[in-house]
Amino acid sequence: MANIKIIEMKATQVAEVAEKLKKAQSVVFFDYRGLTVEEVTNLRSEMRKAGVEYVVLKNTIVERAARENGTDESVNEMLKGPSAFAFGYNDAVAPAKIIKDAIKKYKKCAVKGGLINGVVSSPADMDALADLPSREVLIARMLGSMMSPISGFARVLNAIAENMGGAPKTEDAASEAAAE
């Protein structure tokens, strides 16, 4: 009876982890050995602020969940030794960036690899992901590049109107005219 209960419990865990792997934009696998309780608490706090879920799971549970999702078998090579997992649901860059910063700060632990949109990624890929700007910065850059042609066009139209003498006076031009 006990074995059936344990098997059912593990099957439930596998299903939960499989769902997390599906929902996550990125998952970073890392070796957390050497981190003190205080350092892990700080790391969890940083991740929580960024909307990243930090979990320590048995490698076999993650392996079975990955197999259930149809993930490439090469993920099994990353699941050796103690492993912690950072699930990024809203921002694919956040987990990798936080862990990279923690590695620099504490000079401990190491990235084993991970998944980016369900694709197995090497530690080098995760490092490259961590170097990307955050989602907000990318959106701001995109909006800036979209606004650049429009604002340039507006300046050209304004210059043409000024040259033809029909430009409406701006506050600066009105104050200069009043001063004269």
Side-chain angles (χ1 to χ4, degrees):
M1 290 283 189
N3 287 341
I4 293 173
K5 287 182 182 178
I6 291 172
I7 291 171
E8 288 174 356
M9 184 180 74
K10 286 186 179 182
T12 304
Q13 282 182 319
V14 168
E16 288 172 2
V17 173
E19 184 62 30
K20 288 180 182 185
L21 290 174
K22 277 183 193 173
K23 284 188 348 185
Q25 290 184 17
S26 70
V27 182
V28 180
F29 305 173
F30 63 102
D31 185 345
Y32 61 91
R33 283 185 283 195
L35 292 176
T36 65
V37 172
E38 182 182 350
E39 291 167 344
V40 169
T41 303
N42 292 338
L43 184 60
R44 283 182 188 263
S45 175
E46 284 181 50
M47 288 190 183
R48 205 173 302 116
K49 288 176 190 172
V52 175
E53 183 181 2
Y54 172 96
V55 185
V56 176
L57 298 164
K58 287 185 134 192
N59 290 335
T60 53
I61 299 286
V62 176
E63 185 178 323
R64 289 178 184 165
R67 191 176 322 122
E68 190 176 296
N69 284 346
T71 305
D72 186 16
E73 293 291 321
S74 62
V75 76
N76 298 346
E77 295 301 314
M78 297 175 200
L79 298 172
K80 303 221 184 309
S83 301
F85 305 89
F87 294 88
Y89 300 111
N90 300 324
D91 187 0
V93 177
K97 189 177 290 288
I98 291 169
I99 292 170
K100 184 175 181 176
D101 291 345
I103 290 171
K104 284 181 186 174
K105 182 177 178 182
Y106 303 128
K107 311 256 189 291
K108 301 173 188 173
C109 65
V111 174
K112 295 179 171 185
L115 299 173
I116 302 173
N117 292 323
V119 178
V120 178
S121 304
S122 69
D125 293 338
M126 300 313 286
D127 192 45
L129 180 67
D131 291 335
L132 288 175
S134 69
R135 183 175 187 264
E136 290 78 21
V137 171
L138 288 173
I139 289 171
R141 286 183 184 173
M142 183 184 74
L143 288 175
S145 65
M146 289 172 60
M147 291 300 296
S148 179
I150 295 169
S151 60
F153 181 66
R155 282 190 217 105
V156 168
L157 287 178
N158 191 35
I160 291 171
E162 284 178 1
N163 287 341
M164 299 181 107
K169 292 191 176 193
T170 61
E171 288 180 31
D172 294 335
S175 63
E176 287 177 15
E180 292 176 3

